[in-house]
Amino acid sequence: MGKATAELAVGLGARVTLASRNQEKLHAVASAIDGDVSVAAVDTTDEARVKAWAAGLGQVDHLVISASSAAHGAFSDLPTGDLRAMLEAKFIGPYVTVREVLPYLSEGGSISLFSGVLSRRPSAGATGLGAVNAAVEALAKGLAQELAGKVRVNCISPGMVATEAYADMPEEAREGMYAQIGGSLPVGRVGQAHEIAQAVIMAMTNGFLTGSVLDVDGGHLVRG
Ligand SMILES: NC(=O)c1ccc[n+]([C@@H]2O[C@H](COP(=O)([O-])OP(=O)(O)OC[C@H]3O[C@@H](n4cnc5c(N)ncnc54)[C@H](OP(=O)(O)O)[C@@H]3O)[C@@H](O)[C@H]2O)c1
């Protein structure tokens, strides 16, 4: 979804910096986008690295943080280490990244964070992830208040979207999951990354939108 957002933003004339942990992957993604794209290897859970990277960014108009990792497992079985790693990657990393980039954010700019449908439609086996998503939404709403007058802050909450997040699953199981969950939604299918990217661009550009959680989920929250 980060890559799809970069593609759309570049198409609208933005200069984009893509940051994640794997430099090789970043270069491959950047070279596939026709436009002004630079890359930086940054692990959001490495506070010193985030600080150093942010200090070299220069002026930034919009910050979008889609980086995360998710841990699944039944409540009693999920190892505490996995829970902590998810909290680090999905909540603390974004928190620190916002704090460090904030001094370089233009007045009138925006911040977009990512939660997910599980915050308000939890499911067995993903209770920890749902709780972390809820924390991200609360962070976005709190920051919208605290940073009012400087930047707008919103949270994108995707439903199931076919992305590399599921690349480690065997293909048959993955397609079965997409068919099963997609089939249960009002739209009858799972989402595509560019559909989420469209919502991110809206959050970046709509000056009246702040403190919102944008549900882009194919109707997941209202399904039976
Ligand atoms: N896909 C879905 O069905 C779904 C549903 C609900 C919510 N969401 C949420 O939507 C957001 C985007 O999801 P996605 O499907 O696009 O995920 P994705 O395909 O797994 O991409 C996540 C990106 O984050 C980077 N990343 C992970 N940990 C990082 C870290 N500590 N520091 C820096 N970069 C890191 C990864 O690159 P490297 O590994 O190279 O660092 C990867 O490029 C996430 O917050 C996810 O939880 C997704």
Side-chain angles (χ1 to χ4, degrees):
M1 295 185 216
K3 175 190 174 199
T5 302
E7 283 169 340
L8 274 190
V10 162
L12 293 167
R15 284 191 296 148
V16 172
T17 298
L18 284 169
S20 62
R21 295 167 299 183
N22 184 324
Q23 183 94 27
E24 227 170 273
K25 248 171 64 182
L26 281 168
H27 280 300
V29 167
S31 62
I33 300 176
D34 186 16
D36 191 340
V37 182
S38 54
V39 300
V42 180
D43 183 339
T44 61
T45 66
D46 177 348
E47 192 166 342
R49 175 69 188 121
V50 173
K51 223 181 184 64
W53 166 68
L57 271 178
Q59 199 70 22
V60 175
D61 295 323
H62 303 281
L63 174 65
V64 178
I65 308 178
S66 65
S68 84
S69 68
H72 292 269
F75 174 73
S76 298
D77 300 338
L78 184 68
T80 312
D82 291 5
L83 181 67
R84 283 190 208 284
M86 174 168 63
L87 196 61
E88 279 284 341
K90 177 123 195 170
F91 180 78
I92 298 175
Y95 186 112
V96 167
T97 304
V98 169
R99 192 185 64 210
E100 297 306 324
V101 174
L102 190 58
Y104 311 101
L105 266 177
S106 311
E107 204 160 296
S110 76
I111 297 168
S112 299
L113 304 178
F114 271 74
S115 60
V117 74
L118 290 168
S119 61
R120 281 155 294 136
R121 194 74 197 253
S123 76
T127 304
L129 176 55
V132 176
N133 281 338
V136 177
E137 292 175 5
L139 175 64
K141 286 174 182 283
L143 286 177
Q145 288 262 19
E146 199 162 331
L147 306 181
K150 177 170 169 69
V151 293
R152 295 174 298 99
V153 187
N154 294 292
C155 187
I156 312 299
S157 178
M160 180 163 279
V161 179
T163 70
E164 283 181 24
Y166 304 108
D168 288 343
M169 288 177 76
E171 189 180 348
E172 200 177 322
R174 185 174 60 237
E175 293 307 318
M177 178 183 75
Y178 289 161
Q180 194 234 324
I181 293 186
S184 75
L185 300 176
V187 297
R189 62 174 177 81
V190 298
Q192 299 299 319
H194 75 270
E195 294 172 312
I196 310 303
Q198 287 169 340
V200 182
I201 297 293
M202 203 272 272
M204 288 159 73
T205 56
N206 187 321
F208 199 51
L209 195 75
T210 195
S212 290
V213 177
L214 292 183
D215 295 310
V216 195
D217 62 6
H220 195 119
L221 291 180
V222 298
R223 74 177 180 169

